[in-house]
Amino acid sequence: MSKRDSLSDIVIVDLDVHVNDTPTELAPYMDMPWRKSLEHVSNVPWRYLSIPGYSPNFAENLPLWPGGNDRLTVETPAQMKKELSDMNIDIGILFPDHLLGVAVLPQKDYASALTRAYNAYIVDKWCDKEQGLKGLIMVAPQDPEGGAKEIEKYANEEGIVGIYLPCSGLDTLWGHVKYDPIFAAAEAAGLPVLLHAATTLVPHFPFNLHQYETFFAQHSLVHSFSMMANMLKMIETGVPVRFPKLKICFTEAGVSWVPFIMMRLDKEYVENRRDIPFLEHPPSHYIKKFYYATQPIEEPENAKHLIQLMEMYEGENTTMFASDWPHHDFDHPRKVFNMPFSPEVKRKIMGENALRFFDIDATGRRNKFKVGSTAK
Amino acid sequence: MEKVAREYVVGTVEEFPVGSHKVVKVDNREIGVFNVNGEFYALPNLCPHQVGPLCQGKVSGTLVANKDTDWKRTWDREGEIVYCPWHRLEFDIKTGDCLAFPDIKIRSYNVKVEEGQIKVW
Ligand code: FES
């Protein structure tokens, strides 16, 4: 049996693919007066994930080299379906592209309006337009109450399977109690939350990133540092204890940081447990219950080391394949599939864990919408 | 679990007023004896973390936060918790339970008071 045949034998869910959410696309869904602003920036030339007045990432100051990655975008559900099918991916979870950077926008009303426009757009233009394309409701960290309302509004939308928490350039970390309305709404809606970062050069995020002078360096740690910072904040305020039914996934950071942060926090817990007395167990207990998306999967010389890393956080039920298509650093499913996992663990990581995480069936249908379902 | 073979007199009640504790030697063992509100307890003077002298630590209360306290930190269990002087792991004097790691519990010795004498075994 060829490798390709093996890939097509199993259900593959891709936790992270990106739609090209340009200002032109979003403008019709945008509230006034902000629609005027989007129409205005529609013709502004832009670089990779960076549009002034829309999705600034403050990273335009490095020299550009020929031979770098071409910018790929996905413009339509049909294009996405074809490109994912070519990789044997059955279900793709849609994230925005430009609005990965929404957290840096200083105007609360504008940021909030952008997320509302995106949510209306993703439901109207993408979700379920091809089988297996499922969307996430995004919330603006600038407006927790508005975010909670958006979650309530779309809680019963068939094409929506979770909540995207923007992390790029985020100052007040997820886990701060001001975000409690978002976590409460997500938990009540039975929708998991997914944290996702991208490179954004602001001094507070996520530790001196602006000091690096190459994209190599900026891009190397931004995602993992961001995930660690947010995870620590969530543990510090007891999110997994206070919202026990909420499922939380950390994306686009690989997995090798998980054993590190788990052991680091358990060590600190020895001395400082009473700072966080609401935890009923050491931090590792909760970290082992969080979910993790694989991309960018580590590629150690000895592939068994990756297996060992995952064993450290007991990740066989909580690790989920993600490609990050169509970004420059995407992983083909074959890369993860060919890691020396047992066949059973392979099936879990490539798809079964994600079906459970989102509570969907192999066609992407939410179990709570099944006829006769009594699910929450 | 190994036990001290026989009863040892470790002091008189007068030597252990309410809220006090001290480490006594029994054969070659060091045992912490505690008077918590008139009840006596005894724990090994040996922290399971990195073998610190657990019972030489302070006795105090601890912070509690849960649904009942509306997730607010409250001070509770005054006099019932001993803190290891090395890395400050907390132990419940009455049960030997480690507050940070529910899987860890240290042994407790038996204690009784007879004719004003405190006996441990
Ligand atoms: S030796 Fe007791 S806390 Fe480390």
Side-chain angles (χ1 to χ4, degrees):
Chain A
M1 199 187 279
S2 76
K3 281 167 188 168
R4 194 174 166 79
D5 287 339
S6 304
L7 265 184
S8 63
D9 284 343
I10 61 172
V11 176
I12 301 184
V13 182
D14 185 339
L15 256 277
D16 181 20
V17 301
H18 295 271
V19 308
N20 196 18
D21 53 344
T22 63
T24 315
E25 289 285 319
L26 253 60
Y29 300 92
M30 194 70 171
D31 296 340
M32 285 295 280
W34 314 109
R35 191 187 316 146
K36 284 286 157 203
S37 173
L38 290 200
E39 287 166 5
H40 183 62
V41 295
S42 283
N43 299 316
V44 173
W46 41 275
R47 281 173 59 174
Y48 186 58
L49 297 189
S50 178
I51 304 179
Y54 181 64
S55 59
N57 71 4
F58 310 107
E60 296 86 1
N61 303 323
L62 296 179
L64 281 178
W65 306 109
N69 293 302
D70 285 333
R71 170 91 163 100
L72 302 177
T73 56
V74 185
E75 310 293 339
T76 64
Q79 180 196 351
M80 183 70 87
K81 182 68 189 173
K82 174 170 190 320
E83 290 172 355
L84 296 186
S85 296
D86 286 349
M87 294 189 276
N88 286 107
I89 292 163
D90 301 292
I91 295 173
I93 307 301
L94 309 167
F95 276 85
D97 228 349
H98 305 283
L99 290 188
L100 289 172
V102 77
V104 300
L105 298 173
Q107 286 183 30
K108 171 182 169 180
D109 290 351
Y110 178 51
S112 196
L114 278 172
T115 60
R116 287 197 302 277
Y118 174 84
N119 295 336
Y121 155 78
I122 203 74
V123 167
D124 189 41
K125 284 285 179 69
W126 286 87
C127 298
D128 289 334
K129 298 305 169 212
E130 299 278 350
Q131 184 178 313
L133 297 187
K134 308 304 283 191
L136 305 173
I137 288 306
M138 73 177 290
V139 292
Q142 297 90 333
D143 182 13
E145 285 75 24
K149 277 194 201 123
E150 284 294 279
I151 295 169
E152 284 157 19
K153 180 174 168 190
Y154 291 100
N156 291 316
E157 184 67 43
E158 194 33 91
I160 293 297
V161 294
I163 313 300
Y164 153 50
L165 305 181
C167 297
S168 304
L170 185 68
D171 193 359
T172 306
L173 296 165
W174 292 109
H176 190 286
V177 292
K178 79 175 185 184
Y179 299 128
D180 280 1
I182 289 176
F183 294 129
E187 189 183 47
L191 291 169
V193 297
L194 297 89
L195 290 85
H196 190 307
T199 309
T200 299
L201 292 197
V202 285
H204 57 257
F205 169 82
F207 318 132
N208 299 44
L209 200 64
H210 59 298
Q211 291 291 324
Y212 296 119
E213 53 193 273
T214 58
F215 190 66
F216 158 77
Q218 290 169 358
H219 191 257
S220 290
L221 289 179
V222 54
H223 302 83
S224 309
F225 274 7
S226 168
M227 291 305 115
M228 282 192 258
N230 284 290
M231 174 191 278
L232 175 52
K233 188 73 194 172
M234 289 176 156
I235 301 240
E236 187 192 34
T237 65
V239 167
V241 192
R242 293 187 297 119
F243 303 97
K245 291 206 197 95
L246 183 66
K247 287 186 249 178
I248 303 169
C249 178
F250 298 85
T251 73
E252 186 133 10
V255 297
S256 58
W257 59 280
V258 182
F260 160 73
I261 193 80
M262 189 178 91
M263 293 185 206
R264 184 75 201 89
L265 299 194
D266 273 11
K267 177 75 179 177
E268 203 61 29
Y269 190 67
V270 169
E271 284 197 51
N272 293 314
R273 182 210 72 88
R274 63 195 172 284
D275 274 350
I276 45 173
F278 27 74
L279 293 200
E280 288 153 6
H281 300 275
S284 58
H285 172 90
Y286 303 99
I287 293 172
K288 287 173 184 170
K289 292 187 186 309
F290 292 147
Y291 287 76
Y292 304 95
T294 55
Q295 183 273 338
I297 193 69
E298 286 80 356
E299 303 187 32
E301 212 171 306
N302 180 349
K304 285 205 190 101
H305 291 163
L306 181 78
I307 313 296
Q308 288 163 356
L309 279 166
M310 284 186 38
E311 279 170 2
M312 289 180 205
Y313 68 90
E314 297 169 13
E316 74 167 72
N317 295 314
T318 55
T319 308
M320 307 183 281
F321 168 72
S323 76
D324 195 28
W325 184 255
H327 286 171
H328 57 94
D329 50 348
F330 88 101
D331 286 324
H332 193 285
R334 194 178 293 128
K335 181 75 218 176
V336 178
F337 186 78
N338 286 347
M339 290 285 178
F341 299 113
S342 71
E344 186 200 357
V345 172
K346 245 175 230 196
R347 279 195 303 276
K348 289 183 176 182
I349 291 174
M350 298 309 293
E352 288 172 6
N353 289 343
L355 297 184
R356 197 177 70 254
F357 176 71
F358 291 113
D359 197 19
I360 56 178
D361 71 14
T363 68
R365 189 169 168 78
R366 277 170 78 184
N367 290 324
K368 82 180 242 183
F369 294 120
K370 289 212 170 127
V371 181
S373 166
T374 53
K376 46 277 149 206
Chain B
M1 204 189 294
E2 209 187 334
K3 284 214 169 175
V4 178
R6 61 181 182 82
E7 294 175 11
Y8 290 88
V9 176
V10 296
T12 63
V13 175
E14 289 74 39
E15 290 171 281
F16 288 87
V18 170
S20 72
H21 73 291
K22 65 181 171 192
V23 174
V24 298
K25 269 216 149 156
V26 170
D27 280 350
N28 55 356
R29 285 159 220 267
E30 293 186 359
I31 296 177
V33 178
F34 302 80
N35 180 341
V36 180
N37 298 323
E39 297 287 328
F40 287 88
Y41 302 90
L43 300 171
N45 185 32
L46 197 63
C47 178
H49 178 233
Q50 292 184 7
V51 299
L54 170 61
C55 297
Q56 285 164 22
K58 286 196 178 104
V59 169
S60 184
T62 192
L63 285 156
V64 172
N66 52 42
K67 218 172 179 166
D68 296 337
T69 73
D70 198 22
W71 305 107
K72 293 198 173 29
R73 293 168 176 85
T74 52
W75 188 253
D76 200 8
R77 315 196 57 197
E78 180 64 52
E80 298 179 16
I81 309 296
V82 60
Y83 287 69
C84 178
W86 280 10
H87 312 99
R88 300 182 291 170
L89 264 185
E90 304 149 280
F91 288 85
D92 183 333
I93 296 167
K94 295 181 171 179
T95 63
D97 288 333
C98 174
L99 267 49
F101 297 91
D103 295 346
I104 297 175
K105 183 186 183 75
I106 55 172
R107 68 167 298 183
S108 301
Y109 293 101
N110 298 307
V111 196
K112 66 180 172 188
V113 179
E114 274 178 357
E115 292 162 4
Q117 292 193 316
I118 300 167
K119 294 178 180 173
V120 169
W121 77 98

